[in-house]
């Protein structure tokens, strides 16, 4: 993954950064923790503009966030409820869990979007409940932009300041990114395998 990200950034420049950050929001296993520090390192070498790197990464990330927001808004609450009832195991979310997440977002909508943009994986999926709850489009974009620019800037500057040490760091960044992907896949498989058990345990808790 590290080599693929490196090749894309070096061949496409800022456009490659924007594309990678868009894909990172659509498909979380592509880690921004690799993309933006590497882009910052290239900026430190003078092959890219630092402000342009930050702007491109933020724009791509925000576009991906808005795509999920749009999907959530188009699908809507009722349809998602039906999907969780019919395909809850493969979505790894039961109707009850979906309902609880929806109520939680109703209470913490604004702060959830802002803070969620700073948390890996959550950064992607927090956009869906925002769309489902039909959060005001301008408010969603504004909060997402603040969190996105802050996260993107921090990662880019980390790579920029690291500069000469990046080659050494890259030797352990790639294995870490692979572990992140494996962890996400493993978590999903675990939730699928324990779906019925989690429902039964929740029902027992409620009965008790």
């Amino acid at each position: 993954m590290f080599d693929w990200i490196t090749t894309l950034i070096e061949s496409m420049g800022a456009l490659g950064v924007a594309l990678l950050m868009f894909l990172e929001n659509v498909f979380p296993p592509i880690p921004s923790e690799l993309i933006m520090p590497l882009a910052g390192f290239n900026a430190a070498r003078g092959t890219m503009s630092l402000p342009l790197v930050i702007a491109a990464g933020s724009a791509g990330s925000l576009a991906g966030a808005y795509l999920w927001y749009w999907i959530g808004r188009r699908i809507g609450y009722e349809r998602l409820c039906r999907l969780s009832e019919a395909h809850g195991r493969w979505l790894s979310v039961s109707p009850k869990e979906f309902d609880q997440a929806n109520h939680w977002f109703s209470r913490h909508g604004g702060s959830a979007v802002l803070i969620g943009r700073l948390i890996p994986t959550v950064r992607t999926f927090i956009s869906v409940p925002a769309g489902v709850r039909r959060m005001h489009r301008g408010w969603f974009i504004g909060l997402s932009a603040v969190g996105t620019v802050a996260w993107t800037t921090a990662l880019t500057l980390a790579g920029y300041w690291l500069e000469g040490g990046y080659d050494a760091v890259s030797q352990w960044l790639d294995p870490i990114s692979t572990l992140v992907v494996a962890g996400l896949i493993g978590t999903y498989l675990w939730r699928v395998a324990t779906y019925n058990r989690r429902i039964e345990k929740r029902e027992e808790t409620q009965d008790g």
Side-chain angles (χ1 to χ4, degrees), residues 86-167:
H87 308 289
R89 174 183 291 277
W90 303 113
L91 293 173
S92 78
V93 179
S94 69
K96 185 64 176 179
E97 289 172 329
F98 173 75
D99 196 48
Q100 289 177 335
N102 186 63
H103 286 307
W104 179 86
F105 188 85
S106 296
R107 296 194 304 269
H108 308 284
S111 58
V113 170
L114 179 61
I115 297 173
R117 294 300 298 166
L118 303 174
I119 303 174
T121 306
V122 174
R123 180 168 59 253
T124 294
F125 296 114
I126 195 63
S127 303
V128 176
V132 169
R133 296 299 302 177
R134 304 188 75 81
M135 185 180 202
H136 188 277
R137 187 177 284 102
W139 187 231
F140 170 78
I141 292 175
L143 289 171
S144 297
V146 172
T148 296
V149 172
W151 178 251
T152 302
T153 301
L155 291 177
T156 304
L157 291 177
Y160 186 86
W161 289 328
L162 196 57
E163 198 172 349
Y166 200 89
D167 289 337

Side-chain angles (χ1 to χ4, degrees), residues 24-62:
E24 185 262 347
N25 278 264
V26 175
F27 187 65
I30 301 175
S32 61
E33 294 83 356
L34 269 178
I35 300 166
M36 296 314 302
L38 180 56
F41 170 66
N42 285 339
R45 292 193 304 173
T47 59
M48 300 177 70
S49 163
L50 181 62
L52 182 59
V53 164
I54 294 173
S58 298
S61 183
L62 195 56

Side-chain angles (χ1 to χ4, degrees), residues 11 21 23 36 71 130 147 187 191 197:
S11 62
M21 289 300 286
L23 293 175
M36 296 314 302
I71 290 173
T187 300
R191 287 184 64 83
R197 192 189 316 163

Side-chain angles (χ1 to χ4, degrees), residues 188-205:
Y188 170 74
L189 293 176
W190 177 82
R191 287 184 64 83
V192 169
T194 61
Y195 180 76
N196 290 334
R197 192 189 316 163
R198 285 187 288 115
I199 291 180
E200 291 172 0
K201 185 175 181 180
R202 193 176 297 275
E203 290 175 349
E204 291 174 358
T205 302

